[in-house]
Structures are given as structure tokens and as C-alpha cells.
Amino acid sequence: MTRTWTLAGTTLIAPWLLTLACSGGADDADSSGGTSGSGGAASGGGSPTGGSSSTGGLSGLGGDGPPPLAGDCSVFPSDSSWNQDVSTLPVHPLSDTYIDAIGRDDHVHPDFGTVWEGAPIGIPYVLVDDGQAPIDIIYEAYGDESDPGPFPIPLDAPIEGGPDSDGDRHVIAIDTDACRLYELYHAFPESDGWHANSGTSWDLNADEHHPEGCTSADAAGLPVFPGLVRYDEVVEAGAILHALRFTVSQTQRAYVFPARHYASSDTSSSLPPMGLRVRMKESYDCSSFSNEAEVVCIALKRFGMILADNGSNWYVSGAPDPRWDDEALGDLKDVPGDAFEVVDTGAELVTDAPDCTL
């Protein structure tokens, strides 16, 4: 079987296999990232019952089309919300309200890099093929909202924050033969399989979505991997062609497409809902930044980022890699919340989610 890791001290996949397509920890002024401290797959209000349904899509421009991940696999089709160019969509009427709530004077924090306090910074993943044996998944919390196992995730797969982490402990595997993405939240390897709070499997060649009202390995019911900043994109390809994943500390008991789930009991309409799409203002100047930070800025202006979890404000997710230049990524910390605006995607605000039915 083939396994390729994205973790310090391991063999990294050839760049052509990962040329792209597709939360926050304690704030630290001196590092480019930290141990993730996002709120988890279903923190807060969980999955309320009853209510309206949201099936609205995104009215942005189609992207360039995600290049293959490996073989015939892409990270969702070009019409996926993750791969949509939103640079010309109108500004949302509540943009100022939402940006104020997140923190206009707070700054971006790249939650990815090399190593912080002995653990890789970011959310790692592993590539496997059809030789990887399926492993049983034992759910401890949200099994009724999760896809049943077994999943082909090796028991020695890298864990977010390292094996001793007390954080979100996301575990991600991609089967490049089946073109499927497997994700677990708060996962622990045990003798009888993986023990996790929740988990989801995704067909990478289809624009599929988790059922409404269901959490995934992320609070918003979204996949995690498509929103990660990766070294091969930024440094080797010089471009990110998809939206990024980010967190905020307080969210509304509501979501907008492509999110499928909320994780808050706060009904204040001034708070951002899960699935909120923000983009960097075209007028914001990143020309003095490092090459790495400039690549991220361009993606933020074109594809923006999607609110996916409760965590620290303006924490942007990525994958760890020993080749990152943490100092270069640190230029992103100069970007204030005021540099962003909320995109009006035309999606319906859902405040009363239906029961989760898998």
C-alpha cells in the first residue's frame, strides 16, 4: 500500500500529485501558528430539530477547475462551493455588522506552519490507496450524525496537535484509488479501531453535501481538507485555487450554504452564521509581504474563506509541513479584520435546522 504523510520528519508526496483544488489555539504573538483550539464538531447547541431547509447554491463564477489530486481524483468538481471564484459577487448588506462581531481590529493568524511547542502546526492528512485495510470506527458522541465505518485510516495516521493533543484531534485520510476523503474529529487510535466523536466520508469527484442538521468532522457540517492551505500550493505551485477554512470565537445559531449545521445557542443576528463567506478587499495591499503571504492574499481576494468552526477569531487553517518558513507566514499577522468584507452568495439563512437524517 502507499502512504504519504504531511508531517514533520516524514516523506512528502511529489508536488504534481497535490497541485491543489481542493481551529485556532491560544493567541500567540511570536509564532506563525499554534495548537488548534476550535470548538469541535458540535459544540454549543448541537443539532436542533424542525425548521426550514436550505438547498441554495453559490452564484459565483466557476473556478479554473481543480487539478487532479492523484490519478483521476480531484478535490471536488469545479462547481463546488470550495472552488468558486467570488471576487465579483456583491458585498453582503450585513457585512459591517459581521466584521465588527468577528473583530475589525483583530488580526489574521495562520494556524499552520512547522512546529510549535513540540507539535506540528496545523491539520495533517495522509494519502492511502486500495491496499489500506479498513479500520473500525467507534463513535463516542455524534455517531447518529456520522458516516459509519470502517474507514481506510491507518491507526498510525497523523493526528492534529500530535498524539498527545487535548485539542480537536482531527484525522484525515484520502484514498486516491477510490477518490474518497475520510475525516474524523477528536480521534484516538485504540486496539479495536479508531474512537472518535464524529466522522464523515466524502466523494471527491462529486459536489456532495452532508445532510442538513448533521455535523461532520467540522462544526459547520463541511469537509475540512478542501479549506486547508498547503505547502505544495503556496510554494511549489504558487497559487491557491480554492476557498480557505477559518474560525471565529462566537457564531450565531444559524448557517448558510454550503454549511449544513450550526454549533451555537446564541440567536443574536449580529453574530456570523456558519458557512459565512468572507473575502479580502481588493484595495488591501499585500505587496510588501513575503511571497508565501502574497499567494494567500490573492486566494483570499479571489476565493475568500468559509466560516467552518468555533475557535479563535480570524484563524486560517492549513496543513503542517517542515518546509514552511514560519517567519514568512508571519506576515499574514499584519492583516486586520478590517481588510475583509462579507460576500453575498444569495444563500438562505437557516435558523431552525431540520433533524439530522443520514
Side-chain angles (χ1 to χ4, degrees):
M1 79 189 78
T2 299
R3 295 183 190 171
T4 307
W5 313 91
T6 58
L7 197 58
T10 59
T11 302
L12 294 158
I13 191 163
W16 65 270
L17 289 178
L18 283 170
T19 309
L20 139 75
C22 308
S23 275
D27 199 13
D28 168 59
D30 298 320
S31 71
S32 69
T35 302
S36 175
S38 53
S43 60
S47 293
T49 59
S52 61
S53 164
S54 173
T55 57
L58 180 65
S59 55
L61 302 173
D64 293 332
L69 175 72
D72 295 327
C73 303
S74 64
V75 184
F76 300 122
S78 59
D79 61 352
S80 165
S81 297
W82 288 102
N83 301 322
Q84 291 289 294
D85 184 328
V86 297
S87 60
T88 62
L89 289 185
V91 176
H92 196 282
L94 294 177
S95 179
D96 286 343
T97 299
Y98 290 145
I99 298 297
D100 286 342
I102 300 171
R104 192 172 295 276
D105 296 324
D106 289 345
H107 288 73
V108 166
H109 191 99
D111 199 19
F112 55 96
T114 57
V115 175
W116 172 247
E117 294 186 342
I121 309 166
I123 303 175
Y125 59 93
V126 60
L127 302 183
V128 301
D129 58 22
D130 58 11
Q132 171 59 51
I135 304 295
D136 287 336
I137 310 296
I138 298 92
Y139 290 115
E140 307 287 357
Y142 307 106
D144 59 343
E145 300 184 36
S146 300
D147 292 332
F151 289 171
I153 305 178
L155 287 172
D156 59 353
I159 299 168
E160 179 187 11
D164 299 323
S165 170
D166 59 359
D168 284 358
R169 298 181 62 92
H170 284 107
V171 173
I172 298 175
I174 301 167
D175 184 334
T176 57
D177 285 325
C179 295
R180 293 202 70 88
L181 169 65
Y182 299 89
E183 299 184 337
L184 298 175
Y185 162 68
H186 208 248
F188 293 82
E190 304 288 352
S191 60
D192 57 348
W194 283 99
H195 287 236
N197 278 4
S198 59
T200 317
S201 169
W202 308 86
D203 181 350
L204 288 172
N205 288 336
D207 187 23
E208 66 175 9
H209 307 281
H210 211 39
E212 281 205 86
C214 300
T215 190
S216 61
D218 220 352
L222 294 167
V224 175
F225 179 77
L228 299 181
V229 179
R230 305 198 312 269
Y231 181 90
D232 58 279
E233 302 171 309
V234 173
V235 178
E236 295 174 345
I240 300 172
L241 302 179
H242 59 82
L244 306 183
R245 174 189 185 268
F246 82 113
T247 65
V248 305
S249 61
Q250 291 182 286
T251 55
Q252 185 182 161
R253 186 181 180 272
Y255 61 82
V256 294
F257 184 86
R260 317 299 281 168
H261 181 264
Y262 42 73
S264 173
S265 59
D266 196 324
T267 59
S268 172
S269 61
S270 65
L271 293 175
M274 288 294 180
L276 191 76
R277 189 78 164 246
V278 304
R279 69 179 171 222
M280 180 177 282
K281 296 174 182 175
E282 182 61 34
S283 60
Y284 189 78
D285 185 7
C286 294
S287 61
S288 65
F289 290 175
S290 66
N291 290 338
E292 292 92 328
E294 279 198 87
V295 170
V296 175
C297 285
I298 291 169
L300 290 173
K301 290 183 177 184
R302 185 178 177 194
F303 298 95
M305 53 186 178
I306 299 174
L307 177 53
D309 200 357
N310 297 309
S312 296
N313 289 330
W314 300 120
Y315 268 49
V316 181
S317 302
D321 195 299
R323 299 171 296 176
W324 281 122
D325 182 335
D326 291 336
E327 184 175 348
L329 295 176
D331 285 353
L332 292 169
K333 296 178 186 177
D334 290 334
V335 180
D338 188 57
F340 295 95
E341 58 195 5
V342 177
V343 177
D344 188 352
T345 64
E348 172 191 0
L349 181 72
V350 178
T351 59
D352 196 5
D355 288 328
C356 174
T357 304
L358 294 178

